[in-house]
Amino acid sequence: MNESIIKNKSFELAKRGVDFYKYLISEKKEFVMSKQFLRSVTSVGANVREAINAQSKADFIHKLSISQKECDETMYWLELLKETDYISEIEFNSIHQQSNEVLKIIRSIIITSKKTLNS
């Protein structure tokens, strides 16, 4: 998997997450879960960038693993925002789907990287 693909997709997710956070605080007046969401959604791409600049294959896998956890946490906050009626099903579906796509790519890169590390 080309590193620039996950770099771009995680950055696009972060940009969208920032816009979504602005919407949650201005329109929905939700400040606690939205802040947690903002932290995790922006951390995905930040850790991808760290992984790209890793000092070793093991460090690369470690940083991407953190990114994977942050992406999963992002999805958790979205699910909670939906289940507590802060966001609609439509608002939820689009960004959750985008997060899930990024998560799947990260997991795929980790699996491939672990195979090459162990061979």
Side-chain angles (χ1 to χ4, degrees), residues 4 69 111:
S4 66
K69 290 176 186 176
I111 289 166

Side-chain angles (χ1 to χ4, degrees), residues 26-107:
S26 66
E27 301 297 319
K28 300 294 185 171
K29 306 297 183 211
E30 200 302 306
F31 303 100
V32 177
M33 289 182 286
S34 60
K35 187 71 162 189
Q36 293 291 113
F37 165 78
L38 179 67
R39 285 187 182 121
S40 62
V41 78
T42 55
S43 183
V44 176
N47 280 289
V48 165
R49 292 281 179 100
E50 283 193 40
I52 290 168
N53 295 302
Q55 295 177 338
S56 66
K57 183 67 96 172
D59 188 33
F60 175 79
I61 293 166
H62 173 71
K63 296 289 192 233
L64 267 190
S65 296
I66 294 169
S67 189
Q68 174 182 276
K69 290 176 186 176
E70 294 292 341
C71 198
D72 196 43
E73 182 180 335
T74 295
M75 293 168 70
Y76 169 82
W77 292 116
L78 287 169
E79 291 160 13
L80 190 57
L81 285 162
K82 179 179 70 93
E83 292 299 318
T84 54
D85 298 320
Y86 279 102
I87 60 175
S88 70
E89 188 81 27
I90 294 167
E91 291 166 323
F92 167 81
N93 284 338
S94 181
I95 194 163
H96 192 268
Q97 184 178 348
Q98 186 178 4
S99 301
N100 195 38
E101 178 187 358
V102 169
L103 182 63
K104 286 179 179 178
I105 294 169
I106 292 169
R107 283 186 175 151

